[in-house]
């Protein structure tokens, strides 16, 4: 029987906005809302809820642009201390199921529950229980991705929101994951997406089936990383907070004030 690591990615959500992790937001759940500082007209949208995004409001827009697209927009200032408080409470619940919890931002985390299934039930049962407890005890929801690696677990948590569980198996991931936009893959930012689009690579499946040498020529070593991620070949462990990888080598170098070969001044 093949041993498979059961990796989760949890993204805390509340109501219709993935960043709403406080009861403070309850009065605007059904209204288009953003998180932003209103100190000046030049402020930008830090995050937008689902209702706002449906009206064309996106993260990174100038505040005046967002209000032009959605005049009835509700602007709420960030409350980082509250987010951190809820983040801590979330991780307390996660810690009752596994000690392998790797934070990813203040409202997301990876969990490895491989060693917990014998006592807690299979991965789906554990996910359902965590989702139910978080909703009941904290009044917020989590979207959960279940699979065998961290990259697809992150994709799974983003696949359906809010308050949902998505499971990718080695038998079904190609029919689902490979049809998702390339931009959904971790580490595909704006410039990488633009370059991929230039060569007609618009889905994760296209990355997975591209020539790895071609991707390496485009992006260097990161091209091979993207190729591996798209194929689900990520075997990096879930690293608990505070974990430090062992030191493999130590280097000591000095930058000289001028070129020693030509003795030219900089």
């Amino acid at each position: 029987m093949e041993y498979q690591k059961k990796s989760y990615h949890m993204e805390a959500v509340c109501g219709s906005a993935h960043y709403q992790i406080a009861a403070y937001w309850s009065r605007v759940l059904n209204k288009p809302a953003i998180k932003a500082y209103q100190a000046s007209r030049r402020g930008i949208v830090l995050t937008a809820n689902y209702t706002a995004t449906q009206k064309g409001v996106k993260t990174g827009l100038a505040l005046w642009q967002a209000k032009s697209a959605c005049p009835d927009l509700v602007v709420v200032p960030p409350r980082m201390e509250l987010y951190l408080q809820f983040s801590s409470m979330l991780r307390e619940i996660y810690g009752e199921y596994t000690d392998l919890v790797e934070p990813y931002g203040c409202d997301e985390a990876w969990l490895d529950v491989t060693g917990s299934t014998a006592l807690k039930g299979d991965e789906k049962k554990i996910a359902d229980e965590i989702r139910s407890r978080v909703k009941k005890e904290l009044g917020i929801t989590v979207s959960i991705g279940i699979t065998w690696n961290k990259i697809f677990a992150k994709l799974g948590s983003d696949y359906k929101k809010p308050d949902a569980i998505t499971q990718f198996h080695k038998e079904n991931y190609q029919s689902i994951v490979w049809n998702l936009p390339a931009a959904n893959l971790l580490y595909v930012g704006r410039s990488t997406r633009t370059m991929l689009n230039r060569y007609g690579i618009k889905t994760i499946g296209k990355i997975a089936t591209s020539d790895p040498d071609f991707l390496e020529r485009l992006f260097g070593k990161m091209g091979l990383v993207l190729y591996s991620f798209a194929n689900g070949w990520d075997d990096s462990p879930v690293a608990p907070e505070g974990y430090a990888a062992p030191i493999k080598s130590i280097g000591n170098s000095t930058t000289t004030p001028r070129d020693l070969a030509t003795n030219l001044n900089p």
Side-chain angles (χ1 to χ4, degrees), residues 182 188 191-202 206-207 210-227:
V188 175
S191 59
T192 301
R193 181 188 63 203
T194 299
M195 181 67 75
L196 289 171
N197 283 340
R198 186 178 300 170
Y199 291 94
I201 304 173
K202 297 184 178 181
K206 283 289 187 180
I207 297 176
S210 292
D211 180 350
D213 292 335
F214 171 71
L215 293 175
E216 185 177 20
R217 288 196 298 272
L218 283 182
F219 305 112
K221 290 183 179 179
M222 182 52 67
L224 298 179
V225 170
L226 296 178
Y227 178 77

Side-chain angles (χ1 to χ4, degrees), residues 234-253:
D234 170 46
D235 60 357
S236 59
V238 172
E241 190 169 19
Y243 168 82
I247 298 174
K248 296 181 180 180
S249 63
I250 297 176
N252 183 21
S253 61

